[in-house]
Amino acid sequence: MRYTILLAMIVCSVCFAQNQLFIFFINGINTTPDEADANLSKLESLIQDNDNITWNVLYNATHGVIRSDIWDVIGQKKAEKREYNVRLYKSHNPKSTLQDYLYDPTYVGKNLKDIVNQFHKRFPTDYTEAYALIISHSQGNQYANQLWDYLVNGEGFPRNHIALFGIASPADRIEGDTIFYTSYVTANNDKIINMSRVLGNGALPANVRIDKCHDIACHNLVTDYLGDNSIRSIICNQIGSYMKLWLNDRPLC
Amino acid sequence: MIKRLIIVLIMILCMTTTANAKPSLDRLIGSLDLNYNIRNDILTYINNSVPILSSPWKALIKIAQNQNFLYYSAKTYSEASQVVTENSVAQRCLNMSYNDDRGYTLFKHIEDMMGDTQERRDHIFSVSTYFFSRNGFEHKKIKTSELTNMCESGNYG
């Protein structure tokens, strides 16, 4: 009798164990905390309320657009050519010299350690029932790749518990296993990303077009990417695919 | 005699330095409406863009007040973090008020006005980096029904 109750309790706890999905947003350069949060809120509004989803920003701080952040991207793009090596991340202490940005083959972005720290603050230490989807815009994609690499290769984070989705990505890859048909959206008329193609290994090929650009560079997450019905639907469906996979739930997009 | 001269010179130097530093921050803050603690040009923009006392007006006023506090008065992480959280709620109220991107566009215009000179923009980013680069900030989990009440009451805390 006692064993039957115990068995029933174990079965019930398995039945009712509910996975949690943590969706993080990493912003690009030249973004204030309020704007990063506004971007996240717009992404969040694509999905109906769900108790099992927690949304958060991993804030990619701006250190000065011209004198620092653009060089940070250049440094990251140049360093893309090397194989990622987590030991470098741990020992690397990025400085702000031109020498660093242009010639240091081990360069990692100056905010990586802070972004890793923010992730650890907001993601449970016991990740058996927790999953992370990291959505990034612009330079955030470079950090998302580095964060994935740091967590999976450096800390043994299970790779089937984390996925990346890129928006307007200047990176040459999206780290992780591409489970679904697309893991990024980049518009062929996004002028910022098109300019970044001359750096490093270039950027992932464009796979969408924004019909009506509101921003002169056609790069704004809210007005350009989410302002386009078809792209908004791709992003919503992609989030939905991970909800289906990890929460057995699917939003209406 | 020489000692006294040196002391007077140091005093003059100190006074000049203080006099230079203070107007500099004042210049960044700009001319404020003392009732709302918002820059006059930003208040005029809000009043001209949305009906006064409407839900989006309340949200925009809160965002502008909080930004002014965050960038020019906040002393601790918890103070800074609290206003970003309030702004996050106000921002979601703005989104709720419109079916399109108008809420975001209004918010973005205020952001752009806050950082309308290179000096201001540098200051804004240096404060943001100081408070949030290492620890980030919390995005409050709010159900739509709860949010509706918060937006109607104008209580974003």
Side-chain angles (χ1 to χ4, degrees):
Chain A
M1 179 65 183
R2 207 185 297 164
Y3 288 114
T4 316
I5 293 171
L6 194 66
L7 193 69
M9 281 171 71
I10 292 168
V11 169
C12 282
S13 70
V14 172
C15 293
F16 294 115
Q18 182 60 64
N19 289 341
Q20 294 292 314
L21 172 57
F22 290 79
I23 302 182
F24 293 101
F25 172 70
I26 309 181
N27 57 281
I29 65 170
N30 198 21
T31 308
T32 63
D34 276 348
E35 192 177 356
D37 194 273
N39 287 342
L40 178 79
S41 296
K42 274 289 183 184
L43 287 167
E44 189 180 2
S45 68
L46 298 177
I47 310 288
Q48 306 97 317
D49 287 348
N50 191 315
D51 288 339
N52 302 314
I53 300 181
T54 302
W55 298 79
N56 259 309
V57 170
L58 299 177
Y59 183 55
N60 170 22
T62 293
H63 300 269
V65 180
I66 305 292
R67 68 167 187 272
S68 175
D69 288 20
I70 287 175
W71 292 104
D72 199 37
V73 178
I74 292 170
Q76 286 175 321
K77 288 294 299 169
K78 285 192 78 85
E80 266 180 349
K81 287 182 175 171
R82 73 178 158 77
E83 281 299 308
Y84 281 142
N85 183 340
V86 173
R87 272 172 303 172
L88 295 173
Y89 292 171
K90 291 190 170 166
S91 61
H92 197 85
N93 189 19
K95 300 179 199 79
S96 308
T97 63
L98 198 60
Q99 190 75 12
D100 247 10
Y101 295 132
L102 295 182
Y103 302 113
D104 181 355
T106 67
Y107 187 83
V108 290
K110 55 174 66 168
N111 289 338
L112 178 64
K113 282 181 182 169
D114 289 337
I115 287 171
V116 170
N117 186 54
Q118 291 179 45
F119 179 86
H120 284 312
K121 270 178 163 268
R122 316 228 178 269
F123 194 81
T125 43
D126 176 9
Y127 38 65
T128 40
E129 287 163 6
Y131 294 84
L133 172 61
I134 297 167
I135 304 177
S136 315
H137 177 243
S138 198
Q139 189 206 16
N141 286 280
Q142 302 276 11
Y143 279 115
N145 280 340
Q146 293 180 346
L147 175 67
W148 186 95
D149 194 45
Y150 188 97
L151 293 171
V152 173
N153 295 327
E155 297 188 345
F157 192 96
R159 56 192 298 149
N160 58 346
H161 278 236
I162 184 169
L164 310 183
F165 183 74
I167 302 171
S169 177
D172 68 344
R173 70 191 95 172
I174 300 282
E175 286 289 359
D177 310 311
T178 307
I179 304 167
F180 301 110
Y181 67 101
T182 181
S183 52
Y184 72 97
V185 279
T186 296
N188 61 4
N189 48 344
D190 183 328
K191 296 183 182 71
I192 303 285
I193 299 307
N194 286 342
M195 275 195 295
S196 79
R197 293 184 189 285
V198 296
L199 302 167
N201 287 342
L204 287 161
N207 53 4
V208 290
R209 182 172 181 83
I210 297 166
D211 287 333
K212 196 176 169 193
C213 295
H214 294 85
D215 177 37
I216 192 162
C218 212
H219 183 65
N220 187 291
L221 172 62
V222 175
T223 54
D224 296 326
Y225 280 87
L226 294 177
D228 187 289
N229 286 338
S230 61
I231 299 175
R232 192 169 59 234
S233 160
I234 292 172
I235 295 170
C236 181
N237 277 311
Q238 189 67 13
I239 298 171
S241 301
Y242 284 103
M243 284 172 66
K244 178 76 185 148
L245 179 71
W246 288 330
L247 303 179
N248 200 21
D249 195 354
R250 188 179 263 283
L252 292 168
C253 290
Chain B
M1 180 64 188
I2 293 173
K3 258 188 183 173
R4 205 178 292 167
L5 196 68
I6 291 173
I7 290 169
V8 171
L9 268 173
I10 289 172
M11 281 174 70
I12 291 170
L13 194 68
C14 285
M15 283 165 69
T16 331
T17 317
T18 323
N20 277 344
K22 206 170 183 320
S24 166
L25 192 61
D26 283 347
R27 194 172 61 239
L28 294 181
I29 294 170
S31 140
L32 285 186
D33 177 284
L34 296 177
N35 289 326
Y36 291 100
N37 224 20
I38 297 174
R39 235 168 61 201
N40 280 313
D41 55 339
I42 294 179
L43 183 62
T44 306
Y45 169 75
I46 295 173
N47 287 341
N48 290 339
S49 304
V50 291
I52 293 173
L53 295 178
S54 62
S55 175
W57 182 86
K58 287 179 195 164
L60 288 168
I61 291 285
K62 184 49 107 181
I63 288 168
Q65 281 173 337
N66 278 343
Q67 289 200 342
N68 212 46
F69 177 81
L70 170 64
Y71 299 132
Y72 300 109
S73 303
K75 298 275 185 295
T76 63
Y77 173 75
S78 91
E79 282 180 349
S81 179
Q82 191 189 330
V83 293
V84 170
T85 304
E86 276 185 4
N87 273 4
S88 165
V89 178
Q91 170 67 39
R92 280 179 265 177
C93 289
L94 261 182
N95 286 345
M96 239 182 158
S97 303
Y98 301 98
N99 290 326
D100 53 13
D101 294 334
R102 184 155 160 75
Y104 172 81
T105 311
L106 289 164
F107 153 79
K108 188 79 178 89
H109 196 89
I110 291 176
E111 275 253 316
D112 292 344
M113 288 178 86
M114 283 300 288
D116 57 359
T117 63
Q118 191 58 46
E119 272 180 318
R120 282 183 172 142
R121 207 136 181 90
D122 286 348
H123 177 77
I124 283 170
F125 282 127
S126 107
V127 172
S128 304
T129 301
Y130 174 74
F131 283 126
F132 301 114
S133 63
R134 184 151 175 76
N135 294 314
F137 49 87
E138 190 78 37
H139 180 81
K140 208 171 178 177
K141 195 169 185 168
I142 305 169
K143 289 191 171 167
T144 310
S145 53
E146 259 179 279
L147 185 64
T148 311
N149 292 337
M150 292 169 100
C151 299
E152 277 169 10
S153 68
N155 177 13
Y156 309 106

